[in-house]
């Protein structure tokens, strides 16, 4: 099996689901409900986009495992699994703000093998295959992605996100009040997968967050690593949904230390 074939499937289905959700958002009233907290939203288009992706995967790759943010869960036998976030940045989607995305990753025994993140509002498609670099495709063509060369913490532009639970987001915001004075500025775009692609494209120098779902980060983290970014948790371990920092390699250690120091000020 070629990993590029998995990348092509991820890309195609991300484009299809993005078009479906964007058309739904434009033409129909939104029906929204809540999930983990009163601000963790889901719409009928999150579910329809996931259903579409899962249906197509079952046709194209009937023996693969599938896990989706909106509850899809299929056990596979092929050794390949898919992690799907049908609409990452549902709050942006709900408010008709740009920057929501469809994120699809294929995972094998060695980790994330291929991934695609599609941002319908900008028409951008970010993709990567393990070991083969990361790319951005728009209507102007395809270009290779490269992380920034930022090394200086004081002039680093850093993206982050917040959890949905009020206690967690309050803690995260308090930490930011300390961190923000040690860096250039903070950006909160509203979709983790897109934050990761922004680091890959050198549009921000780093991104960190805690408490993500595996579907939020799988594709974007591979895209960032394949663009030359360093990825990990805050203490030298591997990146995981509970704790992820992705940054320009020369910035990573200083940013990790700054995040931990901003936390330590709490104790
Ligand atoms: C959320 C977004 C947001 C991040 C949250 C995620 P969702 O995903 O990625 O940027 O800060 O932690 O849960 O709920 O919109 O798919």
């Amino acid at each position: 099996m070629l990993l590029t074939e998995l990348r092509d499937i991820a890309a195609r289905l991300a484009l299809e689901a993005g078009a479906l959700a964007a058309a739904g958002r434009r033409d129909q009233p939104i029906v929204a409900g809540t999930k983990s907290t009163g601000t963790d939203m889901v719409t009928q288009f999150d579910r329809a986009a996931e259903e579409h992706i899962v249906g197509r995967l079952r046709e194209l790759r009937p023996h693969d495992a599938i896990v989706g943010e909106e509850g899809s869960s299929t056990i596979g036998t092929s050794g390949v699994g898919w992690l799907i976030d049908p609409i990452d940045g549902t709050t942006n989607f709900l408010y008709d703000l740009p920057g929501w995305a469809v994120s699809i990753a294929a995972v094998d025994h060695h980790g994330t093998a291929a991934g695609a993140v599609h941002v319908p509002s900008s028409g951008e498609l970010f993709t990567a295959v393990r070991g083969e670099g990361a790319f951005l495709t728009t209507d102007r063509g395809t270009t290779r992605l490269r992380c920034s060369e930022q090394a200086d913490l004081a002039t680093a532009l850093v993206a982050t996100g917040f959890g949905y639970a009020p206690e967690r987001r309050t803690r995260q915001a308090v930490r930011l009040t300390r961190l923000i004075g040690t860096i250039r500025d903070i950006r909160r775009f509203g979709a983790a997968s897109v934050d990761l692609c922004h680091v890959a494209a050198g549009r921000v120098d780093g991104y960190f967050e805690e408490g993500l779902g595996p579907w939020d980060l799988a594709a974007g983290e591979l895209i960032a690593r394949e663009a030359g970014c360093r990825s990990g948790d805050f203490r030298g371990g591997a990146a995981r949904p509970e704790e992820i920092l992705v940054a320009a390699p020369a910035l990573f250690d200083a940013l990790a230390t700054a995040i931990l120091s901003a936390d330590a000020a709490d104790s």
Side-chain angles (χ1 to χ4, degrees):
M1 175 198 50
L2 288 175
L3 301 190
T4 50
E5 287 171 19
L6 300 180
R7 186 265 327 271
D8 291 346
I9 291 174
R12 196 175 341 136
L13 300 191
L15 290 168
E16 289 175 11
L20 181 153
R25 180 72 186 75
R26 192 184 56 230
D27 301 336
Q28 293 167 44
I30 285 220
V31 182
T34 59
K35 297 193 290 184
S36 61
T37 72
T39 56
D40 180 4
M41 308 305 291
V42 59
T43 73
Q44 77 268 43
F45 301 113
D46 295 71
R47 295 198 176 106
E50 181 159 313
E51 241 170 68
H52 176 81
I53 296 164
V54 170
R56 296 277 282 128
L57 281 175
R58 286 196 177 130
E59 282 163 31
L60 296 165
R61 307 264 326 164
H63 306 298
D64 292 357
I66 303 174
V67 174
E69 182 183 20
E70 306 314 335
S72 304
S73 175
T74 304
I75 294 170
T77 53
S78 65
V80 173
W82 296 86
L83 285 170
I84 302 163
D85 193 340
I87 298 184
D88 183 29
T90 300
T91 307
N92 284 351
F93 181 79
L94 186 64
Y95 280 78
D96 208 9
L97 288 168
W100 56 274
V102 182
S103 173
I104 304 179
V107 179
D108 64 13
H109 299 301
H110 305 287
T112 310
V117 174
H118 172 46
V119 188
S121 58
S122 62
E124 293 177 315
L125 175 67
F126 298 88
T127 58
V129 171
R130 187 174 58 225
E132 294 187 19
F135 294 88
L136 168 59
T137 302
T138 66
D139 54 10
R140 291 183 302 283
T142 296
T143 50
R144 186 180 268 270
L145 293 169
R146 288 206 196 289
C147 189
S148 87
E149 289 176 8
Q150 182 76 16
D152 175 35
L153 181 67
T155 54
L157 186 62
V158 178
T160 193
F162 302 106
Y164 288 115
E167 316 75 50
R168 167 168 266 171
R169 50 198 291 111
T170 302
R171 245 190 352 265
Q172 290 171 320
V174 168
R175 174 170 60 198
L176 278 190
T177 63
R178 301 183 185 116
L179 183 66
I180 199 165
T182 68
I183 59 178
R184 182 190 296 277
D185 206 351
I186 287 286
R187 291 290 180 270
R188 199 298 191 232
F189 295 112
S193 61
V194 185
D195 289 321
L196 289 160
C197 292
H198 285 327
V199 189
R203 296 171 181 169
V204 293
D205 302 307
Y207 159 75
F208 69 96
E209 188 160 350
E210 290 151 300
L212 293 172
W215 41 77
D216 290 311
L217 75 106
E221 196 261 347
L222 176 70
I223 291 165
R225 266 192 292 119
E226 288 295 327
C229 307
R230 183 169 157 201
S231 162
D233 66 10
F234 306 161
R235 289 178 176 79
R240 49 204 161 88
E242 297 77 26
E243 192 175 294
I244 178 166
L245 167 61
V246 167
L251 178 70
F252 187 97
D253 285 332
L255 184 52
T257 303
I259 293 166
L260 290 174
S261 315
D263 262 343
D266 268 339
S267 39

